Amino acid sequence: MKTQVAIIGGGPSGLLLSQLLNKAGVETVILERSTRDHVLSRIRAGILEWGAVDLLREAGVGDRMATEGIPHDGCYLTDEDLMVHIDFRELTGKQVMVYGQTEVTTDLYAAQDKMGTQILHGVENVSIHDLDQSQSYVTFRHEGEEKRLDCLFVAGCDGFHGVSRKTIPEEKRSEFERVYPFGWLGILSHTPPVHDELIYSNSRHGFALASMRNENLVRYYVQVPLTDTVDDWSDDRFWHEFSRRIPSEAASRLVTGPSIEKSIAPLRSFVSEPLRWGNLFLVGDAAHIVPPTGAKGLNLAASDVFYLHQALIDAVKGGSTTGVEEYSARALQRIWKAMRFSWQMTTMLHRFDGEDSFAEQMRKSTLRHLADSETARRDLAENYIGLPY
Ligand code: APR
Ligand code: PHB
């Protein structure tokens, strides 16, 4: 097999990159380890920066998002009954879009099918070769046969556990990591949202987030110890805990119901540098992970794709390699700013086991400062709605 850009991983990063490259006449083949059903069963975050919205539109996948997505003008950060409104619209002139990653991925698969892109599912033993040569190739096992895909470039879009990052020699990689001592238990439930905007809640019982997918589907989270499992959390226990962590004004309107999905995700900050190794480029979760508190995971994947698709089009179509040479540094600048924001949101809103009483006061005074200072709110809003590409 032969293509111009081999894409490892058919998650949102790989699909969006492929779609944008194909639209510009650059050929791709996507190699995905799982089945499509499995990829689409993963429930992930639900907030898109406007830059990501524009990029999805440019990719030709904006139609369903335009009718089913919900633009949000602001969100709340709260501490017990103190509710700080962050008015994105007033502070930055911009909005974000509530539209689940699962929907984004569904739309991208549909668009790629229409485009006729080859997406191989169930590939095993992916291995990347000759990255320092003018042409590279990827070997893998598919439907019981060993196969080889020749290409000019390889995009490593295979997530945190993928093979791409590990193809870069260990001594050439720098990794930066912080693992947080808690996870998020998330549920989906067919109930009306407790508020028309998201609520990020600091409380003495720990963090909670009230998010949503539509007017009758909520996504709610509570901070839990890493040792907890889903079996420790009956629906009743979840609702009890959630309602005591959000402000009483919101809790008084809470509608509960059976959960239709329940999962626990650990929180981590991680960056691997550089993002380029010869003809290989890392994109999205393959190169970096953020804790979900800033809603930046998918959005950072989108900005990586933005820089890389332009660079690859220039290299394949225009013969200019400036973009590919600059990709790693350009993307990393934005990645580190989102890392800082996600870490700041996480430390501002979570209880850390064994923390001293000073730490709690620092969180409270940060929230109080946000309530009193428009400058502080504008800084938060500017980061939340997404820094420019
Ligand atoms: N070979 C082929 N495919 C692989 C391999 C491999 N060795 N390893 C992993 N994959 C596939 C996974 O099955 C998955 O479908 O790569 C895909 C990676 O997808 P994601 O993990 O969703 O990562 P990405 O596409 O970068 O999406 C951005 O940022 O914070 C998150 O929620 C956000 O998941 C979103 C992500
Ligand atoms: C979600 O809706 O799943 C969601 C929203 C905002 C976040 C994280 C998750 O910061």
Side-chain angles (χ1 to χ4, degrees), residues 33 123-129 138-141 146 163:
R33 187 175 55 189
V123 302
E124 294 171 303
N125 296 340
V126 168
S127 176
I128 311 169
H129 311 269
V138 182
T139 54
F140 55 96
R141 195 172 170 78
E146 300 299 329
V163 67

Side-chain angles (χ1 to χ4, degrees), residues 44-47 184 198 200 209 211 213 219 221 292-295 384:
R44 298 264 177 88
I47 297 285
W184 278 18
L198 267 63
Y200 291 83
L209 167 61
S211 182
R213 292 292 179 270
R219 181 71 169 156
Y221 299 92
T293 330
Y384 193 92

Side-chain angles (χ1 to χ4, degrees), residues 364-384:
K364 285 186 169 302
S365 71
T366 306
L367 267 302
R368 173 48 67 194
H369 179 56
L370 277 172
D372 295 341
S373 162
E374 186 178 300
T375 307
R377 288 196 299 280
R378 179 167 291 114
D379 176 59
L380 194 143
E382 189 176 273
N383 281 281
Y384 193 92

Side-chain angles (χ1 to χ4, degrees), residues 61 132 173 175 207 232 246 318 346 350 364 378 387 389:
V61 289
D132 55 352
R173 268 186 275 144
E175 296 191 344
F207 172 77
D232 296 325
I246 58 175
T346 304
H350 290 78
K364 285 186 169 302
R378 179 167 291 114
L387 297 174
Y389 284 4

Side-chain angles (χ1 to χ4, degrees), residues 197-330:
E197 291 186 340
L198 267 63
I199 302 176
Y200 291 83
S201 237
N202 177 48
S203 89
R204 61 187 180 282
H205 305 294
F207 172 77
L209 167 61
S211 182
M212 67 192 75
R213 292 292 179 270
N214 60 46
E215 68 283 350
N216 197 39
L217 184 60
V218 296
R219 181 71 169 156
Y220 292 157
Y221 299 92
V222 291
Q223 167 189 356
V224 295
L226 277 174
T227 43
D228 279 16
T229 65
V230 167
D231 294 338
D232 296 325
W233 286 86
S234 65
D235 286 359
D236 281 350
R237 181 175 175 208
F238 177 87
W239 289 118
H240 171 73
E241 195 57 37
F242 180 75
S243 67
R244 69 178 188 159
R245 294 186 188 194
I246 58 175
S248 48
E249 184 201 311
S252 68
R253 283 191 311 268
L254 180 66
V255 180
T256 63
S259 65
I260 54 169
E261 195 266 354
K262 200 185 274 166
S263 51
I264 295 183
L267 269 69
R268 175 200 306 270
S269 296
F270 173 83
V271 182
S272 177
E273 299 184 351
L275 305 187
R276 178 192 178 198
W277 180 250
N279 295 332
L280 170 70
F281 302 89
L282 301 182
V283 182
D285 278 18
H288 44 77
I289 300 286
V290 282
T293 330
K296 290 289 171 243
L298 179 58
N299 291 302
L300 267 190
S303 57
D304 288 356
V305 167
F306 174 80
Y307 299 127
L308 186 60
H309 92 285
Q310 288 184 332
L312 291 175
I313 292 166
D314 285 352
V316 173
K317 292 279 177 193
S320 160
T321 56
T322 315
V324 296
E325 276 150 26
E326 291 176 353
Y327 167 69
S328 183
R330 246 182 118 188

